[in-house]
Amino acid sequence: MEQLIRDKIRQVKKGDQSAFEDVIALYQDKIYRHCFRMIGNTHEAEDIAQEAFIRAYVNIQSFDDRRKFSTWLYRIATNLTIDHIRKRKPDYYLDDKIKGTEGLDMYSQLTSRDPSPGEQVESQELQRSIHQEILRLPPKYRSIIILRYLEEFSLQEISDTLDIPLGTVKTRIHRGREALRRKLRYV
Amino acid sequence: MNCNDEAHGLIHKYLDGDLTKAEEKELGSHLEECEACQKHLYELKRTITLLQSTEHIAAPANFSNNVMQKLPAEKKRVTYLRMIKAHPLVISAALIFIFMISGVFSSWNQDNELVVSKQEDLIIEGDTVIVPADVTVSGDLYVENGDLIIDGTVDGNVTLINGQLIENEAMDEEPLMAGSVGEVSGELNQVDQIFDWIWYQVKNVFQGVFDF
Ligand SMILES: [Zn+2]
């Protein structure tokens, strides 16, 4: 896998645009999912995920081949998402969180392991409230919690991806976990 | 042991897999006695399990097509350089001819005055033009006979004639990172590099001709 990516990136660097299509195919689900979890809105997640790939393509010459491409791509996507959250008007952000209609649409479309209808509703409700609580975390905690528990990055990988010292990653994870524990205690 | 600071700290270290043997023992014996901390640990573990409960989210259909359509066309400069590399002699000869006719040769080094396409919000120090960190230049930026530092954002193409793009330290560490400072949304053209290269080829042609 790593070698395949490396070869593809080399081709893209040489100007072969079609090789980039394979790179997108390999990472689109991960990056889109990451953006959706960060932002909680399908349209915005799609826009940002697309933008992340476009930025990666445009700046491909500055990518150091000795590093992991996925780390670089996640960093672009995370920075874009955090930027986007910051630029949102605060009231829009609040509105969005309260209505959360996009998230609702998304979760009702989810296909889980065919549980009974009752279970399905319950698990969708649960998933939605978990996601709402993640979205209520400040972005700097949110990105770390998502990378750690939803994308199962190691602490070191998070530190590399976000370029944040390992100690800071740990502190934020502790605080993020405590905040979520208080919120999810009774769900 | 103090529950809030010490025990909770150890619980988080445990969840990160960072406990030493001694700390593990310490936490173990505290948990045996302290129901509050047991509950705390249980709630944290449950939170993590909830977070990890599976969701199936995939990118929308046509995602990669949409991205491919939005990618910028292969840069003209790249094609141009590739052409010169493929036919250096012919191109160089043609360029010399064009330069002689158009007088580019004489004009190139005469006019050393700094020219900037727009002044608002930009800082000019001597021959260096700076796009400050909090500034977004909308539209194309053109700088002639000066260097350029982009700490902020340029929402358009950048053309640098006879000057260098100076990268600040932050950019060296994080080359052209999205979301960081120093962005150019469009194409970056540095003309002096092409000229250097053409000069090199021109000299080669002359040398080749004379040696022959
Ligand atoms: Zn205790």
Side-chain angles (χ1 to χ4, degrees):
Chain A
M1 173 78 170
E2 274 307 308
Q3 193 51 48
L4 174 74
I5 305 288
R6 245 184 277 276
D7 291 344
K8 291 290 172 199
I9 300 297
R10 212 165 290 151
Q11 282 169 265
V12 176
K13 279 190 171 184
K14 280 185 192 152
D16 179 357
Q17 206 174 59
S18 67
F20 197 65
E21 198 159 6
D22 300 330
V23 176
I24 300 172
L26 285 163
Y27 290 110
Q28 59 176 13
D29 287 346
K30 284 183 177 164
I31 294 299
Y32 172 77
R33 188 156 56 219
H34 181 62
C35 294
F36 174 69
R37 282 163 172 164
M38 288 281 294
I39 210 123
N41 173 303
T42 52
H43 295 298
E44 285 174 286
E46 186 173 357
D47 285 349
I48 293 168
Q50 284 191 11
E51 180 64 19
F53 281 103
I54 293 168
R55 295 270 177 121
Y57 178 81
V58 171
N59 295 319
I60 197 74
Q61 300 301 344
S62 70
F63 169 67
D64 177 354
D65 300 297
R66 288 162 300 181
R67 303 194 60 189
K68 234 175 135 181
F69 180 73
S70 59
T71 303
W72 191 67
L73 191 58
Y74 267 104
R75 192 192 299 185
I76 295 176
T78 309
N79 286 343
L80 278 174
T81 319
I82 291 178
D83 257 20
H84 184 85
I85 294 168
R86 280 200 197 115
K87 280 178 195 155
R88 269 177 170 174
K89 289 186 211 118
D91 53 330
Y92 168 71
Y93 181 40
L94 256 174
D95 254 22
D96 191 51
K97 280 198 304 191
I98 292 162
K99 283 185 294 176
T101 46
E102 290 297 333
L104 199 139
D105 283 353
M106 170 55 92
Y107 282 105
S108 54
Q109 285 163 14
L110 294 179
T111 47
S112 36
R113 298 143 280 107
D114 300 311
S116 71
E119 267 175 9
Q120 206 164 5
V121 171
E122 212 172 279
S123 106
Q124 274 168 22
E125 288 285 315
L126 182 60
Q127 295 258 326
R128 200 161 62 233
S129 51
I130 294 167
H131 195 229
Q132 288 301 320
E133 292 308 338
I134 294 174
L135 288 175
R136 282 196 178 93
L137 291 174
K140 63 179 184 176
Y141 295 102
R142 195 189 310 170
S143 52
I144 289 181
I145 288 287
I146 291 172
L147 288 173
R148 179 76 189 95
Y149 291 111
L150 288 88
E151 280 148 60
E152 304 190 334
F153 278 40
S154 72
L155 296 172
Q156 187 58 54
E157 281 172 326
I158 297 173
S159 159
D160 294 341
T161 303
L162 302 180
D163 202 22
I164 291 170
L166 189 58
T168 312
V169 171
K170 286 181 184 173
T171 313
R172 289 187 187 169
I173 273 207
H174 296 184
R175 295 201 183 134
R177 274 195 302 237
E178 283 297 341
L180 288 171
R181 179 191 68 86
R182 284 191 290 272
K183 302 286 188 185
L184 297 174
R185 197 155 24 162
Y186 302 113
V187 301
Chain B
M1 191 189 295
N2 175 314
C3 294
N4 276 333
D5 297 334
E6 290 174 66
H8 290 179
L10 288 180
I11 285 173
H12 281 285
K13 277 180 99 175
Y14 161 75
L15 292 173
D16 291 339
D18 280 346
L19 280 188
T20 63
K21 277 270 169 253
E23 287 170 332
E24 203 179 312
K25 253 190 188 159
E26 209 181 328
L27 178 62
S29 55
H30 178 78
L31 286 175
E32 270 171 36
E33 290 162 16
C34 179
E35 256 181 64
C37 283
Q38 276 178 34
K39 186 158 174 274
H40 196 91
L41 175 59
Y42 167 77
E43 285 176 0
L44 280 168
K45 279 191 163 173
R46 183 168 169 275
T47 301
I48 293 168
T49 312
L50 285 175
L51 288 177
Q52 288 174 326
S53 56
T54 47
E55 318 161 80
H56 306 262
I57 303 175
N62 276 327
F63 183 89
S64 81
N65 268 343
N66 291 339
V67 177
M68 290 306 286
Q69 271 164 22
K70 287 183 192 166
L71 290 187
E74 194 176 280
K75 286 179 185 166
K76 282 191 202 95
R77 185 162 58 90
V78 177
T79 354
Y80 179 48
L81 280 177
R82 196 176 285 155
M83 199 170 74
I84 297 177
K85 274 178 191 160
H87 311 281
L89 280 173
V90 178
I91 302 277
S92 300
L95 281 169
I96 293 168
F97 184 66
I98 293 165
F99 289 169
M100 282 173 165
I101 288 176
S102 62
V104 171
F105 267 139
S106 50
S107 74
W108 182 249
N109 280 318
Q110 274 176 358
D111 220 5
N112 279 329
E113 215 172 299
L114 175 71
V115 180
V116 189
S117 60
K118 45 190 86 181
Q119 306 279 337
E120 323 151 31
D121 301 330
L122 300 182
I123 300 172
I124 296 172
E125 286 175 2
D127 282 343
T128 306
V129 179
I130 301 165
V131 181
D134 51 344
V135 168
T136 300
V137 177
S138 52
D140 297 347
L141 181 64
Y142 174 93
V143 177
E144 190 177 327
N145 296 321
D147 295 335
L148 178 64
I149 298 175
I150 305 174
D151 286 332
T153 310
V154 179
D155 213 0
N157 297 335
V158 172
T159 308
L160 257 172
I161 311 277
N162 204 16
Q164 294 286 323
L165 180 69
I166 300 174
E167 306 205 341
N168 59 27
E169 276 168 40
M171 279 187 67
D172 280 343
E173 283 163 32
E174 301 288 304
L176 285 173
M177 270 315 304
S180 69
V181 291
E183 280 176 31
V184 178
S185 68
E187 222 174 297
L188 177 73
N189 292 307
Q190 250 173 298
V191 171
D192 63 338
Q193 283 180 357
I194 293 176
F195 267 85
D196 287 347
W197 200 85
I198 290 170
W199 267 117
Y200 172 71
Q201 288 300 329
V202 166
K203 272 187 281 177
N204 277 355
V205 170
F206 275 119
Q207 239 151 31
V209 169
F210 288 124
D211 285 349
F212 197 71

